[in-house]
Structures are given as C-alpha cells and as structure tokens.
C-alpha cells in the first residue's frame, strides 16, 4: 500500500507530540502524518521515573502499559482525529528512500513525504551481557518499562541502581517512597558528574543518603549474576563488593536512535553520535529532512562543534522551530541568540533546575546551603555566566534564565 503525506514525522515521542501542538497553533496540524514504533500516541516520559513510579498524588502504579500511556498522553486520540493528524502507532519505519521521498513502514507499505522530520529519540544503554538475559535488569524509558517496574517496587524490595545520573537517582528516590531499600552504584567519582558541578553532586548525594539510600561512587559494576528460580541477583563491583538485589535498574545514559538516518546516507555527527543538522535543524545532506529532539546534533553559535541534548525543553523548542519553518515563518537559527538549555529533575520533594550547560566554567559562585537546604550554584567563565543550578529555588532559576537569555552568545 502507498499513502501520501505532506509532512511525515518518524517517531511518536515527545518531540513529535510537540510538533503536533506547534503545527496545531498554526492551524496546520492536518499536514502531519506521525509514524511511531510504540503502540501509543505521544506521551510524557518524565513522570515515568517520578510521579508514576513513586505513586504520587495517591495514584497507584499503572497496572498496564496502555493504562500508563493513556494517563501520560500528550493529546487524546479524539483530539488528534479532530485536528486531522494521522498518528499511526506500532508503525516502525525501516527505511527512507531520499530519492523517491518515501519511507517504508515495517510490514511493507510506503508513505511518501514532501518534508520528513526524524524524531526517533534515543534508547537506553544496556551492556550486552545484561541485555541478552530478559528480566535480569530493567531500564526506564518507555511506558512498557514503567508499567513493568512500577508494581515491582514494593516494601522491602532490595533495589540496586547502576548509574548515578538523573534517571537512576529518580528511580532510587521513587523506590524509597515505596519502601524499597536502594543502593546507587556510580562508576565516576560523583553522581550527576556529566551534568552538574561537584557542589550540586555532593548535595544531591547527601539528599539520597539522608533518605536512606546507599550511594557508592568510584567503582564500576562489572557483573550482574542472575539468581536461580527467582532468587535474588548478585551485583558485583570492580572493588570486590557484592550486593544482593531483588531488582536491578540500569541508568547508564542513552544513545541516539540514528540507524534509519545513517542507512539513508545522512551525516552522523562524530562528536555526539546524533544526526548532523544545520542551524535550521535540516539534515546537512538533505534539506528536505529535519531532525528534532534527542536525535538531533545541532550547531550552536560560538560553541566548537555540535550539541545533542536530552531534555523536554529541547524536544519542545526544536519542534517549535521546525513547525515555524514548515509554516513559512522565519524563526531564526535554532539555539541562536537568547537560547538557553533548560533541565529539571524531581527527587523526593525537591526539584533541581539547571539553566545553561555546566561545562567550560572556571569558577563557581555558591549561594544558600548546599547539603542542608535550598541553594544556587552559578557557573562562570571569567565574568560571563554559563549556567545556574538551583535546588528548590524556582525564582533563582527564572532570574538565571532571564540573565542567560540576555547574555550574548559568543
Ligand atoms: C524516564 C525518563 C525521564 C525523563 N525525565 C526528564 C526530565 O525530568 N526533564 C527533562 O527535561 N527531560 C527528561 N527526560 C528526557 C526527555 O523525555 C527526552 O529528552 C524526550 O522525550 C526526547 O523526545 P524525542 O521525541 O526526541 O524522543 P522520545 O520521546 O524518546 O521519542 C522517540 C520515539 O521514536 C520512536 N522511534 C524510534 N525509531 C523509530 C522508527 N524507526 N520508526 C518509528 N518510530 C521510531 C521511539 O519508539 C520513541 O517512541 C526523561 C526521559 C526519560 C526516559
């Protein structure tokens, strides 16, 4: 079967969901055909490691994947139908023919496009020996993962989290809220080492320790040994420590989902592994293809090389930029003047917010009481502000956004 789409979006995740909203605001949602591999229309991912796992606001963990995806959905199926957006679920795209301008959906049918938006996101990193044994370790990336894991977090369950990034720490916090014991194993010298200053890392580690989490840093997890017949697993660390776990969750980061783009001959950015796009988010080798969200590697003025970000704010902003262009507007370069990357993480009843990127700074200016209460860390290169991390200080975060927006991009 062959169908014709005007703008075809591959990937039915958060960037695709935001693209639908952005096109809707312009009265153009009917131009979109969204092809998503998951069996659900676009849904919000952040709650998978937060409210939904922790059972916040009196909610029980969703019993089924469909139930969870429905609770988190970005647009109802009825609304999508009303707007004339064609969203095909369970539609994994297996090939792109850039000459004919068609994509092939698993199962054989083709959809032609005038413009193609790649929003294929990313997938969690799981070391091969663990990935080969279903059920040995868990990841939290999809509604299917969340629905599997949520009901397993029960009183007394011994959880080991491998990886002290946002996802791993949020899972540990949620698990403590459900009465599990939790140990976080981080190979680097500190948790959140990739994204935060040492001050914030230490404060967040302390927060977890105060909530009874054992935080182990500076030693790698080398092996997860399955228990026989449902018995506990043994998690072995490089320093010889052996931890007993009923449940192991892996939060070792993600890799961009670029196979489709590479097979189609699009350029992959060697620095970030994402699809190389220009300042208009168009694939460097084909202006009839754009990339948005986690998979896009975009240039930033004054930054040596491309950036690839995993955040809701970027999924939303990149989709907005592409929607504007599809509508014939000129939104200017993506990540140009006034652009500020934004991140947040909820752990226990605390919210860590980051404006800017905490890299390349030479000094930090700390206010408040890190490790004891709310605080702010300002990261500076000379007298130029690069990023601000704040815990439970939303006003400082808003002020930092304004300040960073006003600062010239070098
Ligand atoms: C558990 C969790 C918690 C998070 N918490 C936060 C947070 O607190 N704050 C924050 O800013 N960010 C958070 N993030 C990150 C944020 O959710 C992502 O950056 C965002 O979802 C990226 O959107 P995307 O559309 O690029 O990718 P995704 O939302 O991952 O969607 C990509 C979709 O493409 C589909 N796909 C892939 N290949 C194909 C193909 N060949 N054919 C069809 N479909 C395909 C995938 O199945 C997937 O559904 C979190 C992420 C996770 C997983």
């Amino acid at each position: 079967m062959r169908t014709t789409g005007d703008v075809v979006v591959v990937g039915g995740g958060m960037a695709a969901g935001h693209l639908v909203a952005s096109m809707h605001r312009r009265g153009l949602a009917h131009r979109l055909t969204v092809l998503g591999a998951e069996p659900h229309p676009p849904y919000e991912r952040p709650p998978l490691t937060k409210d939904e796992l922790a059972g916040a606001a009196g909610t029980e963990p969703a019993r089924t994947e469909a139930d969870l995806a429905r609770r988190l959905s970005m647009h109802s199926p009825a609304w999508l139908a009303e707007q004339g957006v064609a969203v095909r679920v369970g539609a994994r795209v297996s090939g792109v023919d850039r000459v004919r301008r068609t994509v092939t959906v698993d199962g054989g049918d083709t959809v032609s496009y005038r413009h193609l938006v790649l929003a294929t996101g990313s997938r969690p990193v799981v070391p091969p020996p663990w990935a080969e044994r279903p059920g040995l370790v868990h990841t939290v990336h999809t509604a299917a993962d969340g629905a599997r894991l949520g009901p397993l977090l029960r009183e007394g369950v011994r959880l080991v989290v491998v990886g002290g990034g946002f996802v791993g720490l949020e899972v540990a916090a949620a698990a403590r809220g459900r009465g599990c014991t939790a140990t976080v194993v981080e190979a680097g010298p500190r948790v959140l080492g990739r994204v935060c200053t040492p001050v914030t890392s230490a404060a967040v580690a302390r927060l977890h320790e105060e909530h009874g989490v054992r935080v182990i840093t500076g030693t790698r997890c080398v092996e997860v040994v399955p228990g026989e017949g449902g018995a506990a697993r043994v998690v072995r660390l490089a320093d010889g420590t052996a931890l007993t776990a009923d449940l192991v969750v892996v939060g070792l980061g993600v890799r961009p989902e670029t196979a489709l783009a590479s097979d189609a001959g699009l350029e992959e950015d060697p620095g970030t592994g994402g699809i190389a796009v220009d300042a208009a988010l168009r694939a460097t080798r084909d202006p009839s293809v754009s990339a948005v969200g986690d998979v896009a590697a975009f240039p930033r003025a004054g930054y040596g090389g491309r950036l690839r970000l995993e955040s809701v704010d970027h999924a939303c902003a990149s989709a907005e930029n592409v929607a504007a262009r599809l509508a014939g507007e000129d939104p200017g370069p993506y990540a140009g003047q006034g652009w500020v990357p934004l991140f947040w993480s909820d752990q226990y009843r605390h919210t860590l917010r980051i404006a800017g990127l905490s890299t390349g700074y030479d000094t930090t200016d700390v206010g408040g009481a890190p490790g004891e209460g709310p605080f702010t860390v300002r990261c500076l290169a000379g007298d130029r502000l690069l990023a601000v991390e704040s815990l439970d200080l939303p006003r400082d975060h808003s002020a930092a956004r304004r300040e960073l927006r006003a600062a010239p991009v070098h």
Side-chain angles (χ1 to χ4, degrees):
M1 186 176 78
R2 182 177 170 133
T3 48
T4 305
D6 179 355
V7 180
V8 170
V9 186
V10 181
M14 290 202 66
H18 283 296
L19 189 64
V20 170
S22 294
M23 291 292 273
H24 169 65
R25 276 197 300 279
R26 294 171 169 84
L28 296 172
H30 59 277
R31 287 181 57 187
L32 297 175
T33 299
V34 179
L35 305 170
E38 291 187 63
H40 319 285
Y43 60 88
E44 307 271 353
R45 284 183 207 280
L48 293 175
T49 39
K50 302 178 182 73
D51 308 5
E52 288 297 326
L53 270 191
T59 57
E60 275 300 302
R63 292 286 155 204
T64 67
E65 176 186 340
D67 177 20
L68 182 53
R70 222 177 359 257
R71 277 196 211 173
L72 302 181
S73 67
M74 296 176 76
H75 318 287
S76 73
W79 183 87
L80 288 166
E82 247 169 59
Q83 307 313 318
V85 188
V87 177
R88 283 178 59 182
V89 298
R92 176 169 290 281
V93 171
S94 53
V96 177
D97 183 332
R98 293 196 289 116
V99 176
R100 292 196 172 83
R101 294 202 179 178
T102 59
V103 298
T104 306
V105 181
D106 256 359
D109 63 316
T110 57
V111 182
S112 61
Y113 61 84
R114 282 203 318 147
H115 193 84
L116 179 66
V117 182
L118 294 175
T120 46
S122 53
R123 63 176 184 289
V125 172
V126 183
W130 306 350
E132 281 153 20
R133 299 192 70 128
L136 180 66
V137 299
H138 291 258
T139 52
V140 195
H141 197 77
T142 62
D145 297 335
R148 238 186 327 264
L149 186 61
L152 299 176
L153 297 176
R154 290 187 307 267
E155 188 77 34
V157 163
R158 294 161 297 182
L159 168 73
V160 171
V161 176
V162 182
F166 283 135
V167 163
L169 291 172
E170 288 179 1
V171 170
R176 287 297 294 138
R178 295 206 152 251
C180 306
T181 65
T183 303
V184 174
V185 179
E186 165 57 47
R190 57 188 175 94
V191 298
L192 298 179
R194 212 166 50 90
V195 286
C196 287
T197 57
V199 173
T200 298
S201 292
V204 170
R206 181 157 171 197
L207 193 66
H208 279 270
E209 283 161 354
E210 282 169 3
H211 283 84
V213 176
R214 183 175 173 200
V215 179
I216 302 174
T217 55
T219 185
R220 187 170 292 283
C221 172
V222 288
E223 195 181 19
V224 180
V225 185
E228 292 306 318
R233 297 139 180 79
V234 176
V235 179
R236 290 194 201 288
L237 311 188
D239 67 359
T241 306
L243 305 166
T244 306
D246 303 304
L247 208 54
V248 179
V249 171
V250 174
L252 292 172
V254 295
R255 293 271 177 279
E257 197 66 80
T258 51
L260 203 57
S262 315
D263 290 351
L266 296 172
E267 185 190 359
E268 199 171 295
D269 173 52
T272 62
I275 301 170
V277 292
D278 64 16
L281 296 166
R282 287 176 302 226
T284 50
R285 290 199 187 131
D286 189 343
S288 62
V289 180
S290 299
V292 290
D294 282 12
V295 79
F298 56 93
R300 184 189 180 187
Y303 181 89
R306 287 192 159 79
L307 279 180
R308 196 183 66 71
L309 295 182
E310 295 141 21
S311 81
V312 171
D313 183 72
H314 162 62
C316 181
S318 56
E320 175 68 19
N321 191 286
V322 167
R325 225 172 285 281
L326 289 170
E329 302 161 22
D330 177 11
Y334 184 65
Q337 190 74 30
W339 177 79
V340 181
L342 301 172
F343 309 88
W344 88 92
S345 176
D346 296 329
Q347 296 171 36
Y348 307 102
R349 287 169 189 270
H350 303 280
T351 302
L352 173 65
R353 297 178 179 85
I354 305 173
L357 297 173
S358 306
T359 54
Y361 58 90
D362 43 46
T363 53
T364 53
D365 183 3
V366 180
E372 286 163 30
F375 67 90
T376 294
V377 182
R378 294 165 65 82
C379 303
L380 299 134
D383 59 2
R384 188 159 71 96
L385 184 67
L386 296 182
V388 178
E389 302 166 351
S390 55
L391 187 82
D392 297 335
L393 289 172
R395 282 195 186 163
D396 280 20
H397 178 71
S398 304
R401 287 165 66 158
R402 282 195 298 276
E403 203 178 333
L404 286 161
R405 280 203 177 113
V409 176
H410 293 280

